[in-house]
Amino acid sequence: MALVVICGQPCGGKSIAAVTLSESLKESDTKQSVRIIDEASFHLDRNQNYANMPAEKNLRGKLRSDVDRSVSRGDIVIVDSLNSIKGYRYELWCIARAAGIRYCVVYCDVDEARCREWNKERSDRGEASYDDGVFEDLVRRFERPERRNRWDSPLFELYPYRDGIERSSLVILEAVTYLTKTVDSKTQDVRVLQPSIATQSARFSEANSLYELDRATQEVINAVVEQQGLGGVISRVTLGNELPPVEICRQVGLPELRRLRRTFVKLMGQASLSGPPLPTDADSAKRRFVDYLNREFGGQ
């Protein structure tokens, strides 16, 4: 099994590289199936995908989920997308590490001016292209891969404008060798990522953690609404079980509580990618949510 991340500027030859690599792998001695995961498979216009940050985040989430499912089936997976954010490439690397498979990045190195020219040529031919505003934004935010980063290594660099992309291209042949070479005790030039205890545990505990977080935060909201509904002005909501109280200085409506709950769950999910894991028991989840509410209410 292996995960290949294609990376590069918009209109930089990434899809050609993905198809060429896929065909070369299928012609090799590998007995595994090869699958390309790209944006077109979701039937969305490329300008819609990158029209704003929520749309782009949604696209990355779909790609990431599809990658996670595919590596579990034992395929060689090629991710054909911009993959321009280093934090996102790190997330893909974590998926590969959790699965215990080979991983590499193929970078299509083309200068911005040439990419801009190719994008215009596609537009003139009526082919799929980026609007000028979207193109410039993507170019500006591109984060070039660095081979010293573990999530960008090993790094195979292609130069589509200078050298073209062929099955006989040296870089393509090197990538195929890396992805298909038999690994034994004497092999030193192929690295198979080893899952850590954290990545193995995350797969089994994530669903339970999200359930506990969802249930616990809802119970806190119910307690706030119930105790406020008893009448009079209250300054704190007690939860029992030696949990800290929710300190409030005004009447807080259910819509606001729901909004704060959604924001908290979102923040917890994002923080768990690089920080402490999600809580696995109700009391821990409640304690974190109460701390969050007290910070929010304390600033008002």
Side-chain angles (χ1 to χ4, degrees):
M1 297 184 291
L3 176 60
V4 183
V5 176
I6 307 291
C7 175
Q9 295 278 20
C11 293
K14 296 181 299 301
S15 293
I16 297 175
V19 171
T20 303
L21 179 59
S22 174
E23 292 174 346
S24 297
L25 284 167
K26 290 175 182 177
E27 292 179 351
S28 68
D29 295 331
T30 182
K31 298 180 181 179
Q32 293 170 298
S33 59
V34 182
R35 183 180 177 215
I36 296 177
I37 296 177
D38 57 13
E39 300 164 10
S41 60
F42 299 111
H43 307 292
L44 296 174
D45 178 81
R46 62 178 58 192
N47 289 299
Q48 293 177 344
N49 291 339
Y50 298 101
N52 50 59
M53 293 308 295
E56 184 175 338
K57 182 178 179 181
N58 180 61
L59 171 65
R60 289 200 298 266
K62 289 181 178 179
L63 290 168
R64 183 174 55 243
S65 297
D66 208 357
V67 169
D68 202 5
R69 289 191 297 268
S70 296
V71 297
S72 299
R73 291 198 296 265
D75 299 336
I76 294 179
V77 179
I78 301 174
V79 189
D80 174 21
S81 184
L82 292 175
N83 298 317
S84 57
I85 307 300
K86 62 183 179 181
Y88 182 61
R89 295 196 296 272
Y90 172 74
E91 292 179 33
L92 296 176
W93 177 83
C94 286
I95 291 175
R97 184 178 63 171
I101 61 177
R102 305 182 203 197
Y103 171 92
C104 69
V105 174
V106 176
Y107 173 40
C108 293
D109 191 351
V110 182
D111 64 83
E112 296 176 14
R114 185 61 57 182
C115 290
R116 192 174 289 106
E117 179 181 325
W118 284 351
N119 184 58
K120 185 178 184 305
E121 290 175 357
R122 290 184 185 180
S123 178
D124 293 342
R125 292 194 301 264
E127 299 175 357
S129 60
Y130 294 94
D131 293 341
D132 291 343
V134 173
F135 180 88
E136 296 301 332
D137 178 60
L138 293 174
V139 166
R140 178 180 57 81
R141 293 191 290 112
F142 179 77
E143 295 177 328
R144 184 187 181 100
E146 298 286 347
R147 62 178 70 251
R148 66 173 179 269
N149 297 329
R150 61 186 186 276
W151 57 86
D152 289 333
S153 177
L155 180 64
F156 297 96
E157 296 182 87
L158 282 169
Y159 298 91
Y161 176 69
R162 188 189 70 188
D163 303 330
I165 304 175
E166 305 291 341
R167 296 186 197 180
S168 58
S169 298
L170 179 60
V171 176
I172 294 293
L173 295 176
E174 288 176 346
V176 170
T177 299
Y178 179 83
L179 294 167
T180 60
K181 187 173 184 178
T182 301
V183 177
D184 54 32
S185 59
K186 299 179 180 179
T187 305
Q188 298 183 2
D189 57 343
V190 175
R191 184 168 60 224
V192 177
L193 298 179
Q194 298 301 315
S196 64
I197 295 176
T199 55
Q200 288 180 315
S201 300
R203 285 180 175 266
F204 298 106
S205 65
E206 182 179 7
N208 182 62
S209 297
L210 289 173
Y211 170 77
E212 290 293 349
L213 187 65
D214 184 76
R215 187 182 68 169
T217 52
Q218 186 60 56
E219 289 180 3
V220 172
I221 286 180
N222 291 342
V224 173
V225 172
E226 180 181 347
Q227 293 185 39
Q228 284 188 135
L230 296 176
V233 178
I234 61 173
S235 60
R236 63 174 51 191
V237 173
T238 57
L239 301 171
N241 294 334
E242 300 182 353
L243 292 170
V246 180
E247 306 286 351
I248 55 179
C249 58
R250 58 178 174 80
Q251 192 78 7
V252 183
L254 183 57
E256 182 180 359
L257 289 169
R258 286 175 173 168
R259 177 181 60 79
L260 290 170
R261 176 173 175 265
R262 287 195 301 270
T263 303
F264 172 76
V265 171
K266 180 179 179 180
L267 291 172
M268 288 292 290
Q270 293 174 342
S272 66
L273 293 174
S274 57
L278 293 170
T280 55
D281 63 279
D283 283 349
S284 295
K286 287 180 181 179
R287 187 172 288 105
R288 292 197 194 185
F289 187 41
V290 169
D291 290 342
Y292 172 77
L293 289 177
N294 287 337
R295 288 197 301 272
E296 291 296 309
F297 296 147
Q300 299 175 3

